[in-house]
Amino acid sequence: MQKLFWTCIFICSISLAPQVQAKDGAYFLRACEAAVKQADGAQMTLEDSLSALNCMTYISGFREALALNSKISKTPKLYCPPEGGVTHEQVARVFTKFLQSNPESLSQNGSLSLYIALSKNYPCVGS
């Protein structure tokens, strides 16, 4: 049954792949800057609010996927937040700062840039 489930997931992901376009760092810089502004209480347009939502939901999904992957595959964590954890808002700030400080990352895949930002800001002991 489990094999059937994963086969269905694989087939669905292949069929959706052409429709899904990877977002680059420039996209996430705009979206996560909006999320930071929203967290700071700035007045937001509807477009900025939607951008902020895109940033926060992407960060949430990304973090959940990393945690699940680490648990399932029994591999070491790819980043290690401090005791007590970090909020998605804090990650949005870290990601925004990373993208602003590393303009070459603006043309890279956003997930790669987010991974690098997390691993640099929250390195695991012994890494």
Side-chain angles (χ1 to χ4, degrees):
M1 184 69 164
Q2 187 177 21
K3 188 174 183 178
L4 176 62
F5 172 77
W6 288 111
T7 302
C8 289
I9 294 294
F10 178 73
I11 290 170
C12 289
S13 67
I14 289 174
S15 65
L16 293 176
Q19 301 167 14
V20 177
Q21 183 178 15
K23 305 293 187 198
D24 62 12
Y27 171 86
F28 284 109
L29 178 58
R30 289 186 301 276
C32 292
E33 281 177 335
V36 169
K37 285 180 5 185
Q38 188 173 51
D40 290 342
Q43 195 72 12
M44 304 289 286
T45 65
L46 178 59
E47 184 178 345
D48 286 342
S49 293
L50 291 173
S51 289
L53 180 63
N54 285 337
C55 172
M56 298 305 277
T57 55
Y58 187 82
I59 286 172
S60 175
F62 187 87
R63 293 177 70 191
E64 288 291 326
L66 284 181
L68 183 61
N69 180 60
S70 182
K71 188 173 229 165
I72 290 173
S73 65
K74 308 256 191 274
T75 57
K77 291 182 178 180
L78 298 175
Y79 76 103
C80 297
E83 187 95 19
V86 293
T87 65
H88 296 325
E89 178 189 318
Q90 289 169 308
V91 172
R93 290 179 190 280
V94 164
F95 193 21
T96 299
K97 184 176 178 183
F98 173 81
L99 292 168
Q100 291 169 338
S101 301
N102 298 278
E104 70 281 359
S105 66
L106 297 178
S107 61
Q108 291 178 346
N109 182 289
S111 59
L112 174 62
S113 296
L114 180 53
Y115 162 71
I116 294 169
L118 288 171
S119 63
K120 284 187 175 193
N121 281 275
Y122 306 112
C124 295
V125 176
S127 297

